[in-house]
Amino acid sequence: MTDTPRPAPGPDGPSHAERAARAAEAMRAAEAAAAAPGRAPEPKPEEDRAPAPRNGAAAAQDGLPALAELFAATGVPAPLAARAAARLGPGAAGRLRDDPWRLLRVPGVAPRQADHFARAVLGDAARPDDPRRGRALVLHLLTEAARGGHTVTPVADVVSALERVRVGDPRRAVEAALDEADVLALTEEPEFDEESFAEDAEPPEPEETLGPARWALAEEAAAEGFQRLTLTAVPLLDDAALKELRDGLPEDRSLALTAALRTGVSVLRGTPGDLERAALGVAAAAAGQGLRVAVATPTDRAAADLAADLAADAEGVTVASLHRLLEPRDDPSAAPGAVVYGRGEREPFELDLVVVADAAALDVELCAVLVEACPDGAHLVLCAEPGAPPPTGPGRPLDDLEASETVPVVTLDAAPSGPVGALTEAVRGGDLAAVDAPGREVVIVPAESPGEAVHRAVQLVTDSIPRALGIPAEDVQIVTPAAGGDAGAGALNAALKARLNPGPGRFAGLDPGDRVVVAAPLPCAPTGETGVVTGGGPHGLDVEFPGGAAVVAPADAARLRHGWAVPVALARGTRRPGVVAVLTPDGLSRPLVATAFGLARRHLSVVQAAGPALAKAVREEEAPGRRTRLARLVVR
């Protein structure tokens, strides 16, 4: 199977060679911009053709007055100006006057809002068939698909969507988007089966897809990285040393150790507790033989917990969040909000073995950064629960890698530990089973309404769990399927703030003493990290994170949310002594419920406000599928 850039069909479009050359030029430019230091999944603002200003953030601020003036004159809400300046970069106001539909590049802007803005800017000249509108809508549709996890979308689906929003010539709109080089056309050759070789069978047609160049480049880089690590790998230990390490191990642990030390890339699946023990066992065994080893966790808090578990065997093993391992650095030339990593292709890890916990949470861009930071000959072990939810960002690298059948996959024998583990394992198998919990390790709290669910959750965190189980409130994490809704993270945090730390929200809606969570990566903390606000002012927010005190710049404060209650997607990978899972009918799936329950180390309270929808979701609902290319790219 091949998967190559190619033009979408169009009567007057550029030739295949022209389009391929343009796509290659875009890829080279993006790769040069993203070459180590690596960049977190955060897009750069658009740049003027003139030389770039000395600092992206400063330049965006310089253009903010002009943008605010334009928005005031056209009725656009003032708070959108800062977001637009950060996303569109210097000269945003002038660029929007020339092409008002570029406003669709700003997150949260819908097509009808962009159309309204275009009419305010262009007057009667703003028409549904304006080529600028069609071009912008193509990228917008693909970006929205990426928010749902897809890295590519069939051309036919894009054309149909453009017709629904009254784009007169959808094919020409696609061509215009391709000319901008933000979108790539990709031809995916079909799989062949026995029927394809029948005498009278018509050969299947290649499927034409479109994808934002950003994700296409990331999938190419991740695939090349996996191939490179596989091809350059040699056994890290000789047969005699490996045999000695394997002696006495159960078969599943022996296979995991062998895969880790023999092959360049391997996947390890198991329950949260089993994965922790196996990962630590592999790391300690390798370090004991003089190998340079690191275990990468999703957050600094998870790293501290894992390092404490490693304890006596910790000598020679680096345990850190992946964010910290990649060495985030301040870069004055970085785009506003972007995180620049020091480790990458030009400055790779100085490691022989890297073990990544909860690798299912890696979206395709962070996965590309990771594999590019692994030097030739290094071994990479990717750990995840069976059937783990896909990442919040686009792609599904771990599932795609496993589907490619190019790397060994070892599944640990399930050994549920206690009632929480038994319940989690039952859910993972599709059964919402009752478990025996004599020490109140699992408690089910029914709630008839979202309001009652919020009330019960607050009561559990502030009174019942600390009083009855001795787990302090700061060690209890509330998780919920989503941020919004009457019993979502937002509503729960409002109730918890009123109870635990009332205040006016003096600093960007936050007060000293508020628990916060990082909703998008910061230079000082990874996504999902929680901390406590200690102060604030014109300089930014002072936050005490597990990795130490940090100052979050005013421009980055929007990346923080109240963190007493968080969506499961942000909580994953960081287990807590106590977890309160507030479940309502919306957004439930078997992977999400299993992940939520598996976050609890000692105690799990389930506030059951979903009724029969919970059992139905556990029994029937898998995570939604995603359209991606990585599995095909790895084997090409």
Side-chain angles (χ1 to χ4, degrees):
M1 171 181 290
T2 59
D3 191 282
T4 54
R6 168 179 172 171
D12 302 311
S15 69
H16 174 62
E18 289 171 333
R19 184 78 73 213
R22 190 173 297 139
E25 181 181 357
M27 286 185 177
R28 285 194 297 271
E31 287 170 347
R39 294 189 183 269
E42 179 65 26
K44 292 183 65 178
E46 300 176 29
E47 296 176 350
D48 291 324
R49 300 297 182 222
R54 67 192 181 284
N55 181 297
Q61 291 299 317
D62 290 344
L64 192 56
L67 195 57
E69 181 181 350
L70 173 63
F71 282 1
T74 53
V76 176
L80 190 63
R83 265 193 292 152
R87 182 53 58 97
L88 301 178
R95 192 175 292 109
L96 286 172
R97 285 191 178 93
D98 292 339
D99 182 357
W101 284 283
R102 281 186 182 267
L103 190 65
L104 281 170
R105 297 181 180 229
V106 180
V109 175
R112 59 179 179 78
Q113 294 168 318
D115 286 340
H116 178 84
F117 176 66
R119 289 192 294 271
V121 172
L122 302 176
D124 293 340
R127 303 184 310 275
D129 61 349
D130 191 303
R132 294 169 294 185
R133 179 175 182 264
R135 179 178 62 204
L137 282 168
V138 171
L139 181 58
H140 174 75
L141 289 168
L142 295 175
T143 301
E144 287 299 299
R147 290 196 178 98
H150 308 293
T151 59
V152 292
T153 301
V155 171
D157 290 358
V158 175
V159 169
S160 296
L162 292 172
E163 290 172 344
R164 288 194 294 272
V165 291
R166 297 187 301 147
V167 172
D169 191 341
R171 293 280 175 172
R172 191 172 296 278
V174 169
E175 291 291 334
L178 294 171
D179 289 340
E180 286 277 287
D182 289 321
V183 174
L184 295 180
L186 302 150
T187 300
E188 300 180 17
E189 299 296 339
E191 298 281 359
F192 284 91
D193 53 27
E194 292 183 4
E195 294 181 1
S196 302
F197 292 93
E199 290 186 5
D200 57 347
E202 290 290 331
E205 291 293 326
E207 182 181 30
E208 292 165 332
T209 63
L210 300 172
R214 176 182 175 187
W215 311 121
L217 296 174
E219 284 190 306
E220 292 276 355
E224 290 172 3
F226 286 133
Q227 291 170 334
R228 174 179 58 83
L229 292 176
T230 298
L231 292 172
T232 60
V234 296
L236 295 177
L237 296 177
D238 60 31
D239 291 343
L242 179 58
K243 182 178 184 302
E244 184 177 350
L245 290 176
R246 291 176 53 176
D247 282 347
L249 290 178
E251 184 179 6
D252 57 339
R253 302 298 174 90
S254 176
L255 290 171
L257 183 64
T258 301
L261 299 180
R262 287 289 189 184
T263 59
V265 183
S266 58
V267 175
L268 185 59
R269 297 276 191 178
T271 67
D274 289 332
L275 281 175
E276 285 184 358
R277 290 185 288 273
L280 292 177
V282 167
Q289 296 294 312
L291 298 174
R292 300 167 299 174
V293 183
V295 179
T297 62
T299 63
D300 292 331
R301 182 181 296 275
D305 291 342
L306 204 60
D309 290 341
L310 192 57
D313 298 321
E315 186 176 354
V317 179
T318 298
V319 182
S321 68
L322 178 59
H323 186 77
R324 200 72 55 198
L325 200 65
L326 289 167
E327 298 181 6
R329 297 178 180 177
D330 290 329
D331 185 345
S333 66
V339 175
V340 177
Y341 292 116
R343 294 294 181 175
E345 186 177 6
R346 296 181 185 175
E347 191 176 342
F349 298 138
E350 297 170 0
L351 295 167
D352 302 306
L353 175 64
V354 181
V355 181
V356 181
D358 195 22
L362 299 176
D363 69 19
V364 72
E365 278 189 323
L366 189 54
C367 183
V369 173
L370 166 65
V371 295
E372 288 185 342
C374 292
D376 289 355
H379 289 211
L380 178 64
V381 181
L382 302 171
C383 304
E385 301 171 35
T392 55
R396 50 172 192 180
L398 186 65
D399 289 340
D400 280 347
L401 181 64
E402 186 171 341
S404 74
E405 299 182 347
T406 59
V407 301
V409 178
V410 178
T411 300
L412 299 172
D413 295 335
S417 177
V420 174
L423 176 60
T424 304
E425 188 62 20
V427 168
R428 192 174 286 112
D431 182 21
L432 193 64
V435 295
D436 185 24
R440 289 182 288 185
E441 295 89 348
V442 176
V443 174
I444 309 299
V445 182
E448 296 296 327
S449 67
E452 184 182 356
V454 171
H455 174 74
R456 296 295 185 197
V458 172
Q459 186 179 46
L460 286 163
V461 172
T462 61
D463 178 47
S464 301
I465 293 176
R467 175 173 48 79
L469 301 173
I471 302 175
E474 56 267 28
D475 285 339
V476 180
Q477 181 67 66
I478 296 181
V479 297
T480 186
D486 292 339
L492 287 159
N493 278 316
L496 285 158
K497 177 169 174 57
R499 179 71 176 271
L500 292 172
N501 195 47
R506 288 184 296 155
F507 307 116
L510 302 169
D511 294 298
D514 280 359
R515 186 195 290 187
V516 292
V517 64
V518 179
L522 294 167
C524 58
T527 301
E529 193 74 81
T530 55
V532 176
V533 176
T534 58
H539 66 288
L541 278 171
D542 303 313
V543 183
E544 186 67 36
F545 287 113
V551 176
V552 178
D556 293 332
R559 293 169 175 261
L560 296 177
R561 305 282 188 273
H562 279 111
W564 290 289
V566 300
V568 173
L570 288 180
R572 63 185 297 174
T574 304
R575 303 177 73 199
R576 296 297 190 103
V579 168
V580 176
V582 180
L583 303 180
T584 56
D586 298 328
L588 293 177
S589 70
R590 183 191 307 159
L592 183 141
V593 175
T595 298
F597 290 179
L599 292 172
R601 288 187 181 273
R602 288 176 49 195
H603 172 79
L604 171 68
S605 283
V606 180
V607 179
Q608 218 301 40
L614 176 57
K616 182 177 185 296
V618 168
R619 186 173 59 252
E620 301 175 4
E621 299 296 333
E622 296 288 351
R626 296 186 172 196
R627 295 183 299 269
T628 60
R629 299 186 303 140
L630 184 60
R632 293 185 293 272
L633 294 174
V634 171
V635 298
R636 73 177 181 181

